[in-house]
Amino acid sequence: MRIRAGALFSLLITLIFAWALFQSRGWPVSAGLFPWGIASPGLILAVMLLVRELRAGTKGGQSGPSPEAEAATMRLELWRTANILAWIFAFFLGIWMLRFSVAIVLFTFLYLKLQSKDSWWLSLLLTGFAWAFFYGLFVRILHLPFSEGQLFLWFPWLPSLPWLG
Amino acid sequence: MKKQWILLGFLLLVLLAAACGTKATPTPAPTLTPAPATAPPPTPTAVPTPAPAPTPATATAPPPTPAAALTPAPKPFYEGKTITIVVGYSPGGGYDAYARLLARHMGKYIPGNPTFIVQNRPGASSLIAANHIYSVAKPDGLTFGTVVRELYTRQLAKEPEVKCDWAKFSWIGSATSEVYVIMVRAAKGVRSVEDIKKLPQPLFWGETVLGVGPTLLARAMEDTLGIEFKFVLGYGSSADYAMAMERGEIDIMGGSWGTLIAQRPHWLKEPRLVNIIMQGGVKRSPNLTDVPALGELVTSEKDKRLVLLIDAGNQTARPFIGPPGIPQDQLNLLRRAFDSALKDPALLSDAKKSKLAIEDPLTGEDCAKLAKDIVSVSPEDIAAYQKLLKLKK
Amino acid sequence: MFEAFISGLTQVLSFPAFAFMMLGMGVGFVVGILPGLGGATAIALMLPFIYPMSPVEAVAFLLGMHSVCATTGDITSVLFAIPGEPSCVATILDGHPMVKKGEAGRALGAALFSSLLGAWVGAFTLAAAMPIVRPLVMAFGSPEFFMVVFVGIAFMSSLGGGSMVKAFAAAALGLLISMVGSSPHTGTLRYTLGQLYLWEGVPLIPLVVGLFGIPEVVEMAVKGTSLAEVGPMGKVVGVMEGIKDTIRHWGLVVRCSILGALIGIIPGLGGGVAQFVAYGHAVQSSPDKERFGKGAVEGVLGPGAANNSKEGGALIPTVAFGVPAGATMAILLGAFLIMGLVPGPDMVDPEKHANITFSMVWTLVIANFICVGIALLFLNQIVKITRIKGTILIPFITLLIFLGAYASENNFGDIFSVIVFGLLGWAMVKWDWPRAPLILGVILGHLAENNLYISTARYGATWLGRPIVIILIVISILVIFYPFWQERRRKQKKAA
């Protein structure tokens, strides 16, 4: 399982190098020389890795001290990885759809309350803290341009939340 | 368990300290980007160097603007509002410096004394900022910005990424004009454009990329004067090829006259490192009357138009533009405030200290007219111009 | 000269200048810790305040701020695996594994103390180099730049740790990423995917923040631990240990500081290169290379020293030629102009402004001394962060990752880059791909390409015969083959 996934990653890298070579086919020499010079050996290395990992995968897939216990840990690990990646991706979507300030409040609070299972007041306190840090430094002092959430641009009739900064 | 709470409390303290620290340490921070209309007087410590900031006058004196008198009863539009100046580059460059200069001084010439803030949106040689100002920013008179002066050239080249029209921006004005000069290492013994033609080998011209002001000039010299250069491209910044010039790695470069005298005056002191052989533009700048302009050296009308086209950006060297369709009232307020601020002694003194030239600033109306002329040149001129964007071969 | 040297010191220590330096340090401390907010931005934002100051006051204020950034940037790098400054990436490589081993105090102690020594060596270089700076800088042209970069690339072979093939593939990927953007020679848009955002290349900060920060968050969540995975819960040990490490390896620290200062002097190379050359040197000079990447203190000491000493070095061309050695120095140059100082020979002339140049030296020395002193006092407290329950820290670290990436360029694309490179970094960790060669490739690729083109466009093939180039070629061959030679000797010894 683990080995095959590793081979998938090597395959991805191989494809990236191949794509890079393919893209650069029509470029003038002075623009293409370096990309060619880098992507060609890169492609060879990646193929080497891919072959090596595929071989290892077919040879020693079943070995291991106690397959059941390992499988259980692996399942847990997989579940937790998927879980945190989903949180991170949700935060990203929140920033994109709802704007930074709203996403910060939602993400911090929900993560602390649901995932970390902290008490109400602690979650609220830390959330307030995260928002104050963001607002005080990045909005008030540095005036970073934070754009409006995409959702509000798509549906202009949605009520915006200006009090969040 | 108890320990964890103590630690948590500590984390809070640390983060709080960080947040407060940022709020408290730069005590003057609130006045940092906004215009310091009520800036604290300079430190009482003896400062031997020139007279400090002119703030005392602005703190007590009535606003020197006549505009205030014209709008007596109703609350001025800009009162309590914040105007954002978008800069297409990171903090630290010339465009950013002019934006921050204006942000400090423009507010007091607008009825209602709005606050000014500067936002940096770098990327793609300020094209990201230009597209943003053109189509994302609202034309409510609360946002304008500054982008690369040669943006129009990419519009003329019909690059699909240029999603704005140079002539349709709401022009606030241009803070200064600039002159490009062509410098040759004195060791080469070249004193004029004619001398270059006599050299056995072409000179090495150093630059970052093709298609920027100085390389456009170089390519125009090739196409109109029949000179040949060898281009050495890929330097990281103008500082890098200036260094290469000192080392003798390159022989010739172009650059703004203002930057040269501000940052590298030792180049012109005896023994001179460089000779200035030409200036860009149609005619000679009043500051550089003994250096021939490219416009005098070319012969045909077509070439003269080409020179005009390349040099147009230098007339509006620090352009300030707003999104199309700013209501005329607001636009006029901004334009007049821009003009007045550029005559403000306080601004001029700041500019002088920062070595930012304020030469022949243009009003918004003049800029708009110029922009319209540029984008409506003939296809033949555009074709000649587009040839300058590639190496001659 | 000596009088100017002393006068520089007394001017920095006199009242308003010293207060301004402390104020600048306060700002620099915070800016350094926060990822994305760099020293360059901070100085640019502070420029308006220096108008009423005298030159020495302004120097103390700005340099105090700037020199502290590189020092405190290491704290974020070590603790959270998010670089506080772009020049603090290399300290992650071994600093963060030390935190996981429960040695946060030791890692921070080593990073800070080596920073202090590095800053001092850098300042000393600035002072010592003044008379010889001109020939030194003049001797380095584009061919020599290319060779320095090449030596850096040669170090990649030592950054691998595990599989060499993976290390080189990662390096190739990094070099390829550095090709993204418009090519300077032809204007060809390479791998930009039709995005304006990528025209000037993949921005470095979102890349490193994602590549190192996101996998860290994932790992914390998966293992369900605090930042420190193991280690004694009771007593916080190690800050003194880190200081002792610095003294124990003083030779390495001094060598890396000198390397950093020398690379700093060369305009156009910058801090990104210095830290990795120092890291590579730390790896290569150690008898046991296997420890690196897993929490070897030398891997913290080397880059920690170099990223501070480069500041002293970088001031040299800025002051003496008006040629800034990087973005921050370009802004400082603007500040000098505001103060009425014109860079050039006058700045190193004892009859004229040499005292101001020396006040820069002293500001570097004193500001870092105070900053490291204060930081060391609180270090035992800061280190406790690493024992807080992981799930409480995760939202804050994630927030810092996204905000830090966004704050550098204010572009939404940065947020997207964080996700993309975060996933890449996570996959690389999971399947044992080293990330250091990738970062090195990203930093060096563009420099290598441009300087090679400039060299050939200007000199044809003759540049290969330049003396410094030949020396650097020899060095790079040594760098590549030294490990093999060392290995063979060890085997021979064993056999004997």
Side-chain angles (χ1 to χ4, degrees), chain A residues 20-165:
Chain A
L21 266 183
F22 178 74
Q23 282 282 306
S24 62
R25 66 199 182 284
W27 294 345
V29 176
S30 63
L33 193 61
F34 254 69
W36 298 329
I38 293 162
S40 318
L43 185 62
I44 295 169
L45 288 169
V47 169
M48 268 168 69
L49 279 171
L50 184 62
V51 170
R52 194 196 284 177
E53 276 177 47
L54 284 177
R55 273 200 195 147
T58 49
K59 269 182 199 163
Q62 294 299 315
S63 69
S66 116
E68 256 173 56
E70 200 170 277
T73 355
M74 211 179 269
R75 253 199 312 268
L76 183 68
E77 196 187 313
L78 200 68
W79 156 245
R80 283 187 175 170
T81 308
N83 182 38
I84 184 68
L85 287 179
W87 274 107
I88 292 173
F89 196 69
F91 189 28
F92 163 73
L93 273 185
I95 295 172
W96 186 22
M97 287 296 151
L98 303 170
R99 176 151 67 101
F100 241 110
S101 52
V102 183
I104 285 170
V105 170
L106 279 181
F107 173 74
T108 317
F109 181 75
L110 291 179
Y111 192 90
L112 289 172
K113 191 76 204 89
L114 300 180
Q115 190 67 39
S116 182
K117 301 201 167 53
D118 288 305
S119 65
W120 276 98
W121 73 266
L122 182 69
S123 303
L124 282 174
L125 187 75
L126 288 178
T127 303
F129 186 74
W131 180 81
F133 166 73
F134 159 78
Y135 185 75
L137 183 59
F138 290 92
V139 178
R140 294 300 304 185
I141 295 183
L142 292 170
H143 305 297
L144 292 197
F146 292 103
S147 43
E148 180 61 288
Q150 193 62 41
L151 213 57
F152 301 99
L153 299 178
W154 282 337
F155 308 106
W157 41 267
L158 277 176
S160 169
L161 306 164
W163 40 272
L164 276 172

Side-chain angles (χ1 to χ4, degrees), chain C residues 43 62-63 66 315 318 327-337:
Chain C
I43 293 189
L62 294 179
L63 270 188
H66 176 59
L315 273 170
T318 316
T328 315
M329 288 298 146
I331 300 169
L332 262 181
L333 182 65
F336 291 160
L337 297 176

